[in-house]
Amino acid sequence: NHFMKLKKNFFLSLEFLGWAGIIPFVISAFLLFVINDYEVEIRIIGLLYASIILSFLGAVHWGYLLHLKENNNSLWLWGVSTSLLAWFSLIIIVIFKNYNLSSILLVTGFIFALVVDYNKLSAHKNYISLRIKLTFFAVSSTVINGFF
């Protein structure tokens, strides 16, 4: 029973869930180097996933503000800004087929999201430490999907 509880806690831990979210980034970047027949599709899938995650990173602040019952308008705005930036990057992919520019926008969003998290959520040391590592992989994979 103790082992099952430890196992359950591990699979629901911040670390496990965070690293699990990196898997699609790494797989799409890796596949670009090993599968030539579906390069465009793989690139698009990687960038689409990046846009989903960027939207999620802004939503973290809505949850934070709701929990605190705080009325910080700049953080409410930030929570929507990442979704709008991600949406704009999708427009660039779908209409203009410009993977480079989409990648730049997404990477910029990831970096800004990390800076905002670092400034606003610094009391949550484990979260920030994990976010730095996860952002490295998200940015690296998004650059690969956009440029290579």
Side-chain angles (χ1 to χ4, degrees), residues 19 21-22 24-26 28-29 32-33 46-47 49-51 53-54 57 99-100 102-115 130-148:
W19 286 110
I22 289 298
F25 281 110
V26 174
S28 64
L32 278 176
F33 292 110
L47 294 172
Y49 185 71
S51 69
I53 296 302
L54 182 57
L57 292 175
Y99 311 118
N100 302 126
S102 177
S103 175
I104 291 168
L105 290 174
L106 291 165
V107 165
T108 301
F110 286 135
I111 292 169
F112 274 114
L114 179 60
V115 170
L130 183 62
R131 280 278 288 114
I132 291 168
K133 295 168 196 158
L134 297 177
T135 298
F136 170 79
F137 281 94
V139 165
S140 300
S141 298
T142 301
V143 167
I144 290 169
N145 280 308
F147 287 92
F148 296 100

Side-chain angles (χ1 to χ4, degrees), residues 116-134:
V116 171
D117 282 1
Y118 190 84
N119 287 326
K120 299 298 181 184
L121 303 174
S122 60
H124 304 279
K125 302 272 187 241
N126 290 343
Y127 175 73
I128 296 301
S129 175
L130 183 62
R131 280 278 288 114
I132 291 168
K133 295 168 196 158
L134 297 177

Side-chain angles (χ1 to χ4, degrees), residues 48-82:
L48 292 176
Y49 185 71
S51 69
I52 291 167
I53 296 302
L54 182 57
S55 294
F56 168 79
L57 292 175
V60 166
H61 292 275
W62 276 50
Y64 176 73
L65 290 170
L66 287 170
H67 177 72
L68 292 179
K69 297 179 175 105
E70 189 175 315
N71 194 14
N72 182 334
N73 290 336
S74 64
L75 278 182
W76 289 110
L77 177 62
W78 172 250
V80 174
S81 298
T82 57

